[in-house]
Amino acid sequence: MAEADAIRRFALEATIEPDAIERARARAVEIGADPISAAVGAQIAVLTAATAALNIVEIGTGAGVSGLWMLHGSPRATLTTIDKEPEHLAAARAAFTDARIAPARARFITGRAADVLPRMNEASYDIVLVDADPEGVIEYVEHGLRLVRAGGTVLVPRVLAGGGVADPVRRDAVTTAYRSLIQETQSSPAVLGALSIVGEGLLQLTTVPADQR
């Protein structure tokens, strides 16, 4: 256990965060927006870069940290980000301006994800990041899998629920939802799933085209 903790700590401390994202992180902490860790941010940047993502949806803007990481990985991408908190969106707008992200590369939508997502075009996006309202994570992932193109990827940070998913005694609604999500997607022929344990955890789900299942 001590060795595993040391490895995780090293991975967290080894990540170097761009200055603009560091500033966005500081603002997120100030307003209680709870940003993803730099280690998870670096992972999603690699994934957006590796897939050459051009169209990204983010469910849960926060103060812009995760969005900046994804655009850092894919400088040609356009991000649509959804949040119900106007203060969070205002902080994210300021962070994007500070990072010199062109206004045309980011669309900010104020509203509940459950209301916004059904109106979005299916099979139109390369990546969907789900980081909002853990109670609704399964619903949001279902929407995400509908929105991504064949071969597109849905990303779910915080999926380890602070270690709760590994504790069989924990039966609260959020932990149970994350645990069910991991188990069901790992056995589904419709997606390729991988679970990273770095930081707060990251579930990666890439859709498998129907003719390849």
Side-chain angles (χ1 to χ4, degrees):
M1 181 66 71
E3 181 181 358
D5 290 342
I7 291 171
R8 288 175 63 128
R9 185 168 58 252
F10 178 82
L12 288 171
E13 295 174 352
T15 304
I16 298 175
E17 196 161 47
D19 291 344
I21 304 182
E22 277 194 350
R23 291 190 292 272
R25 177 178 302 283
R27 178 59 177 152
V29 172
E30 287 178 8
I31 66 175
D34 192 18
I36 60 170
S37 66
V40 170
Q43 288 185 68
I44 64 177
V46 167
L47 289 166
T48 57
T51 58
L54 295 177
N55 296 296
I56 302 171
V57 173
E58 177 182 45
I59 305 168
T61 308
V65 172
S66 50
L68 287 175
W69 268 114
M70 289 188 286
L71 294 181
H72 177 67
S74 189
R76 295 175 54 221
T78 299
L79 173 71
T80 298
T81 185
I82 306 162
D83 204 295
K84 63 183 180 182
E85 299 292 342
E87 183 182 17
H88 292 182
L89 288 165
R93 287 179 186 273
F96 278 44
T97 298
D98 178 51
R100 299 184 179 179
I101 301 296
R105 293 188 59 208
R107 180 168 65 127
F108 299 88
I109 299 177
T110 305
R112 294 176 62 252
D115 298 329
V116 175
L117 294 171
R119 303 197 299 266
M120 300 183 73
N121 294 330
E122 63 182 58
S124 298
Y125 300 91
D126 301 304
I127 287 179
V128 174
L129 178 79
V130 178
D131 188 22
D133 302 329
E135 296 83 357
V137 65
I138 291 177
E139 177 187 357
Y140 298 151
V141 168
E142 289 174 349
H143 277 296
L145 292 172
R146 178 183 64 82
L147 294 177
V148 293
R149 59 171 173 76
T153 298
V154 175
L155 303 173
V156 190
R158 310 182 203 276
V159 74
L160 298 178
V165 295
D167 182 356
V169 176
R170 287 277 296 272
R171 298 290 180 180
D172 60 276
V174 170
T175 302
T176 300
Y178 279 130
R179 189 180 291 132
S180 296
L181 176 65
I182 293 168
Q183 293 171 343
E184 291 174 11
T185 54
Q186 289 296 305
S187 61
S188 171
V191 297
L192 293 173
L195 176 61
S196 168
I197 62 171
V198 172
E200 59 274 34
L202 180 68
L203 182 63
Q204 306 156 59
L205 305 171
T206 296
T207 59
V208 177
D211 62 353
Q212 296 180 21
R213 296 175 193 171

